[in-house]
Amino acid sequence: MSKSTFDSVEMSLEANIPATELKEVKRILYGKELRKLVLPQSALVAALERDFDLHGYVFEAEPEQIRAARTVRVGLIQNKIVLPTDAPVLEQITALHKRVGEMVDVAAACGVNIVCFQEAWTMPFAFCTRERAPWTEFAESAEGGFTTRFCKELAKKYNMVVVSPILERDELHGGTLWNTAVVVSNTGNVLGKSRKNHIPRVGDFNESSYYMEGNTRHRVFNTQYGKIGVNICYGRHHPLNWLMYSMNGAEIIFNPSATVGELSEPMWPIEARNAAIANHCFTCAINRVGTEYFKNEFTSGDGKKAHHEFGHFYGSSYVAAPDGTRSPGLSRIRDGLLVAELDLNLNRQVADKWNFKMTGRYDMYADEITKAIQHDFKPNIVKE
Amino acid sequence: MSKSTFDSVEMSLEANIPATELKEVKRILYGKELRKLVLPQSALVAALERDFDLHGYVFEAEPEQIRAARTVRVGLIQNKIVLPTDAPVLEQITALHKRVGEMVDVAAACGVNIVCFQEAWTMPFAFCTRERAPWTEFAESAEGGFTTRFCKELAKKYNMVVVSPILERDELHGGTLWNTAVVVSNTGNVLGKSRKNHIPRVGDFNESSYYMEGNTRHRVFNTQYGKIGVNICYGRHHPLNWLMYSMNGAEIIFNPSATVGELSEPMWPIEARNAAIANHCFTCAINRVGTEYFKNEFTSGDGKKAHHEFGHFYGSSYVAAPDGTRSPGLSRIRDGLLVAELDLNLNRQVADKWNFKMTGRYDMYADEITKAIQHDFKPNIVKE
């Protein structure tokens, strides 16, 4: 059972644990049992024909007296690249538009209101190569590039908010590159963009070869379907990053990512889920799938031989709720669309139960962090 | 399979998943496979005779050129109360001293350097009752009470640091109560105390009936075996709380807790482990075991009938490492001692790999949190 053929923990549990114990195992590992979302037969057939997995779950809240239920359907799309990494750039982009477009068609059939794609979805995740050409040619204007135009069409066609994480070329500011999520409103307008706040320098990835820490801070987008934030990839390791999206009012925080098994897989189920719990909000963690091959070999600063691949992107996209419940993950090996119906009333219900914001003592932390960043910081250490 | 008879997820996986898949399941759920610590036969026999579980694991680090390995053995003790909750107060305390004392004897035989007990370990977790008598009689001076004197003896006898979370009576400041961990050095001196920073008002627990938010901030104790912090119970839901212990230099953060299944069990494996990852340190989560019966019935503000028990404390104490690896949990139903040998060099090794502190942008967060607590805070929200 190799790391790139094992489908998912969830499937292994279902197949092997006796029913008497399975209920307890799943409760402890995943929280409340989620109702499956009934999806249209046409969507299921289309997913089968287009060779991707399709699963749907419902996160329910209690009925309230004053507020009606606030249900929204989110769609998480994970996919392999389509063409080899040395195909012409524009062909690679176009092939990905086509592939993801046909998955969005199915999302629309499933009633999805907000769809989010994986990090840098229009390209192979080539940052491990440290090469400039041809990878920087994948960068586009957030406001008017091919990909944003493509997303605007989808948004209008399906009355859907589209979160599109791309490599951005910012011509207005010296032509700099950024790792950016473009948020397209369901009206087809660009609502704005959110840049990756924390940039990894880890193993294969020193992404600061390509772009620096984002300067859009923690803006939240007030869409027709709810207030959303986008915490890109490595930002999920930073609890303060999640916190500030939440402080600004985010009800759903998307985490479009690209990460490989050897590096991060045991951390993947923990971090976005912890953020949902700690911040009384929903989080949606999305990771690409497959292994990408690069023509020129590269090294990883780990003493190993130069290589052409840097690991298996393990998919496993999932949704986590403020009560600690999470959906099963999508497959580790196949393209997939995860549809989740969220009742956003759950956020306040859980907040009113657990009170993490009310008991947060943020004045104390503002003071302590302000002191901790000073050059003459004296740690609070008790010695004998 | 009821919630109070199911032993642990880990045991269910071992018993049911075929070996070919088990390796992958465990890697994804728990991280790197840990070597079992070889424990003395005498300790294993004593644990059997004294009717508690005993498990040991080793968290290894890579050898370095300049620094020698910095191994320390921590002991996590989880236990049921011994006498009924209406037995005389001093008898209850003494019975718990005896029970935990005999577990510490075994910890000493296993070479434990730092032992930590569960939250409010000298008493039933009576805060759900909202009664004053007799529960406040369990409160003791942190510096000179029965329990601290008992811990000082253990510390000296075994050259062991003892972390002893008690209900504290602070005579010096108006006789107020606190939820406090007393840290006794291996020399037998009280090194200091650390009070619970965040107080729950959740369901059965409005603990602020008894004590308020701690005023010892995030002090860290520089013991002979490493720098430790103590984040008591509900503080584990607050990522900033973990962060500040780490900012002050904690290499191991203990989380002595008391929490029941219906309330928190799916969150339990997530939060302390996320903190170990996010802060490049070890965390030790400890929860009591069993169901406690109170003579007078009480209600829980949940529309349910008055009752005498408020749920099953599910144990499941575990250790998590900065690389995301965690130990199996102790049993959900039995007393237990978990011994973990930690090489503290792992903290810096993982920090140097993942760089969460280096990429933390704390200046930005100091600024943002400072703004967010102002009355006229304007959330960063983008509208159409």
Side-chain angles (χ1 to χ4, degrees):
Chain A
M1 191 65 51
S2 101
K3 284 174 191 164
S4 53
T5 58
F6 180 69
D7 193 290
S8 77
V9 169
E10 293 85 332
M11 284 178 64
S12 179
L13 301 180
E14 297 282 350
N16 295 300
I17 311 260
T20 46
E21 289 186 23
L22 184 61
K23 213 171 131 93
E24 273 294 274
V25 167
K26 284 169 63 178
R27 179 183 69 82
I28 294 168
L29 287 179
Y30 304 119
K32 215 167 67 179
E33 177 106 43
L34 297 172
R35 184 158 62 75
K36 287 207 172 154
L37 184 61
V38 180
L39 298 170
Q41 192 57 30
S42 61
L44 294 165
V45 170
L48 201 65
E49 284 171 0
R50 294 167 192 190
D51 194 27
F52 64 87
D53 291 344
L54 172 61
H55 298 288
Y57 303 95
V58 182
F59 291 81
E60 289 168 303
E62 295 297 319
E64 301 183 12
Q65 292 194 27
I66 306 286
R67 300 193 303 182
R70 294 180 59 221
T71 56
V72 51
R73 290 195 184 179
V74 294
L76 285 61
I77 290 182
Q78 67 175 36
N79 60 281
K80 299 185 202 74
I81 54 171
V82 179
L83 297 181
T85 62
D86 59 351
V89 168
L90 207 51
E91 287 179 24
Q92 290 190 57
I93 295 176
T94 308
L96 279 159
H97 284 187
K98 182 163 175 297
R99 175 57 169 162
V100 170
E102 71 186 15
M103 297 176 81
V104 173
D105 294 343
V106 175
C110 296
V112 164
N113 306 115
I114 307 175
V115 72
C116 183
F117 310 144
Q118 64 204 20
E119 183 184 22
W121 73 275
T122 60
M123 61 184 292
F125 212 72
F127 306 126
C128 51
T129 65
R130 296 186 289 282
E131 300 163 346
R132 285 300 182 276
W135 315 116
T136 61
E137 290 198 58
F138 282 89
E140 302 182 42
S141 155
E143 290 73 20
F146 304 119
T147 296
T148 296
R149 291 206 302 274
F150 172 76
C151 293
K152 288 167 82 161
E153 288 308 312
L154 287 177
K156 265 189 295 199
K157 182 171 173 191
Y158 293 127
N159 192 31
M160 195 187 287
V161 173
V162 178
V163 181
S164 165
I166 60 168
L167 183 62
E168 179 195 2
R169 172 81 69 182
D170 180 7
E171 291 293 357
L172 192 61
H173 297 96
T176 45
L177 299 180
W178 298 96
N179 186 318
T180 301
V182 182
V183 178
V184 180
S185 162
N186 56 315
T187 61
N189 297 324
V190 173
L191 195 47
K193 60 189 175 188
S194 183
R195 289 170 173 157
K196 185 168 177 174
N197 278 321
H198 299 268
I199 306 297
R201 287 96 168 149
V202 185
D204 285 293
F205 290 101
N206 185 335
E207 293 180 21
S208 74
S209 301
Y210 295 90
Y211 38 79
M212 296 291 285
E213 280 71 14
N215 57 1
T216 51
R217 294 215 162 185
H218 299 90
R219 58 178 60 154
V220 162
F221 301 92
N222 192 2
T223 78
Q224 186 186 314
Y225 307 114
K227 293 203 274 295
I228 65 173
V230 192
N231 175 350
I232 302 176
C233 197
Y234 182 75
R236 77 181 170 281
H237 306 300
H238 291 273
L240 284 164
N241 202 29
W242 298 100
L243 172 72
M244 283 315 307
Y245 288 111
S246 166
M247 289 287 225
N248 283 313
E251 298 170 301
I252 308 167
I253 307 176
F254 292 94
N255 175 233
S257 299
T259 183
V260 292
E262 286 297 327
L263 190 63
S264 64
E265 195 160 0
M267 296 151 75
W268 178 254
I270 305 299
E271 293 162 309
R273 190 169 169 205
N274 190 75
I277 297 167
N279 299 295
H280 303 314
C281 66
F282 287 94
T283 60
C284 303
I286 304 166
N287 185 24
R288 67 173 60 202
V289 195
T291 304
E292 300 177 355
Y293 179 92
F294 297 96
K295 201 174 57 184
N296 302 328
E297 62 182 6
F298 54 93
T299 56
S300 308
D302 59 1
K304 291 186 186 155
K305 276 200 191 310
H307 44 276
H308 296 269
E309 298 172 351
F310 69 104
H312 173 66
F313 292 100
Y314 53 81
S316 308
S317 304
Y318 70 96
V319 176
D323 64 358
T325 299
R326 58 156 288 181
S327 76
L330 286 176
S331 163
R332 296 179 67 261
I333 47 178
R334 283 173 50 77
D335 288 10
L337 165 63
L338 178 64
V339 180
E341 181 174 299
L342 319 177
D343 184 343
L344 298 181
N345 280 357
L346 187 63
N347 290 346
R348 198 174 81 180
Q349 290 175 12
V350 174
D352 282 357
K353 176 179 177 189
W354 279 102
N355 301 314
F356 299 151
K357 289 261 174 26
M358 184 172 94
T359 59
R361 305 189 72 183
Y362 300 112
D363 50 347
M364 174 173 72
Y365 292 107
D367 177 55
E368 290 195 35
I369 298 173
T370 301
K371 284 177 181 150
I373 57 177
Q374 303 306 317
H375 289 298
D376 61 353
F377 171 50
K378 301 260 181 305
N380 187 347
I381 296 183
V382 181
K383 291 182 185 142
E384 192 143 13
Chain B
M1 192 64 53
S2 101
K3 285 173 189 163
S4 52
T5 58
F6 180 69
D7 193 290
S8 76
V9 169
E10 293 84 332
M11 282 177 63
S12 180
L13 301 181
E14 297 282 350
N16 293 301
I17 310 260
T20 46
E21 289 186 22
L22 185 61
K23 213 172 133 94
E24 272 296 273
V25 167
K26 284 168 65 180
R27 179 183 69 82
I28 294 169
L29 288 179
Y30 304 119
K32 214 166 66 178
E33 178 107 42
L34 297 172
R35 185 158 62 74
K36 287 206 173 156
L37 185 61
V38 180
L39 299 170
Q41 193 57 30
S42 61
L44 295 165
V45 169
L48 202 63
E49 284 170 2
R50 295 167 192 190
D51 194 25
F52 64 86
D53 291 344
L54 171 60
H55 298 287
Y57 303 94
V58 182
F59 291 81
E60 289 168 304
E62 294 297 319
E64 300 183 12
Q65 293 195 26
I66 306 286
R67 301 192 304 181
R70 295 181 57 223
T71 56
V72 50
R73 289 195 185 181
V74 294
L76 286 61
I77 289 182
Q78 67 174 37
N79 60 283
K80 298 185 203 73
I81 54 172
V82 178
L83 296 180
T85 62
D86 59 351
V89 168
L90 208 51
E91 286 179 23
Q92 290 189 57
I93 295 177
T94 309
L96 278 159
H97 284 187
K98 184 164 173 297
R99 175 57 169 163
V100 170
E102 71 187 16
M103 297 176 81
V104 173
D105 294 343
V106 175
C110 295
V112 163
N113 306 114
I114 308 175
V115 72
C116 183
F117 310 145
Q118 64 204 20
E119 183 184 20
W121 73 274
T122 60
M123 59 184 292
F125 211 73
F127 307 126
C128 51
T129 66
R130 296 185 290 281
E131 301 163 346
R132 286 300 183 274
W135 316 116
T136 59
E137 291 197 58
F138 282 88
E140 301 182 43
S141 155
E143 290 74 21
F146 305 118
T147 296
T148 297
R149 292 207 302 272
F150 172 76
C151 293
K152 288 167 82 161
E153 288 309 312
L154 287 177
K156 265 189 295 200
K157 182 171 174 192
Y158 293 128
N159 192 31
M160 195 187 287
V161 173
V162 179
V163 181
S164 166
I166 61 167
L167 183 61
E168 178 195 2
R169 172 81 70 183
D170 180 9
E171 292 294 357
L172 191 62
H173 298 96
T176 45
L177 299 180
W178 298 97
N179 188 318
T180 301
V182 182
V183 178
V184 180
S185 163
N186 56 315
T187 61
N189 297 324
V190 173
L191 194 48
K193 60 189 176 188
S194 182
R195 289 169 173 158
K196 185 169 176 173
N197 278 321
H198 299 268
I199 307 296
R201 288 94 169 152
V202 185
D204 286 294
F205 291 99
N206 186 337
E207 294 180 20
S208 75
S209 301
Y210 296 89
Y211 39 77
M212 297 290 285
E213 280 71 13
N215 57 1
T216 51
R217 293 213 162 186
H218 298 90
R219 57 178 61 155
V220 162
F221 301 92
N222 192 3
T223 77
Q224 187 186 315
Y225 307 114
K227 292 202 275 295
I228 65 173
V230 193
N231 174 351
I232 302 176
C233 196
Y234 182 74
R236 78 179 169 281
H237 306 299
H238 290 275
L240 283 165
N241 202 29
W242 297 101
L243 172 72
M244 284 315 306
Y245 289 111
S246 165
M247 289 287 225
N248 283 310
E251 297 171 300
I252 308 167
I253 307 177
F254 292 94
N255 176 234
S257 299
T259 184
V260 292
E262 285 297 326
L263 190 63
S264 65
E265 194 160 359
M267 296 150 75
W268 178 254
I270 304 300
E271 294 161 309
R273 189 169 169 205
N274 189 74
I277 296 168
N279 298 295
H280 303 312
C281 66
F282 287 94
T283 60
C284 302
I286 304 167
N287 185 24
R288 66 174 59 204
V289 195
T291 303
E292 301 177 356
Y293 180 91
F294 297 96
K295 199 174 60 183
N296 301 328
E297 62 182 8
F298 55 92
T299 56
S300 308
D302 58 2
K304 292 186 186 156
K305 276 197 193 308
H307 44 276
H308 295 270
E309 298 171 351
F310 70 105
H312 172 67
F313 293 100
Y314 53 82
S316 307
S317 304
Y318 69 96
V319 176
D323 64 359
T325 299
R326 58 157 287 181
S327 76
L330 286 174
S331 163
R332 297 179 67 261
I333 48 178
R334 284 172 50 77
D335 288 9
L337 164 64
L338 178 64
V339 180
E341 180 174 298
L342 320 177
D343 185 343
L344 298 181
N345 281 357
L346 187 63
N347 290 348
R348 199 175 80 180
Q349 290 175 11
V350 174
D352 282 357
K353 175 180 178 188
W354 279 101
N355 301 314
F356 298 151
K357 289 260 176 23
M358 183 173 95
T359 59
R361 305 189 72 183
Y362 300 112
D363 51 348
M364 174 173 75
Y365 291 107
D367 177 56
E368 290 195 37
I369 298 173
T370 302
K371 284 178 181 150
I373 58 177
Q374 303 306 318
H375 289 297
D376 61 353
F377 171 50
K378 300 261 181 304
N380 187 347
I381 296 183
V382 181
K383 291 181 186 143
E384 191 143 11

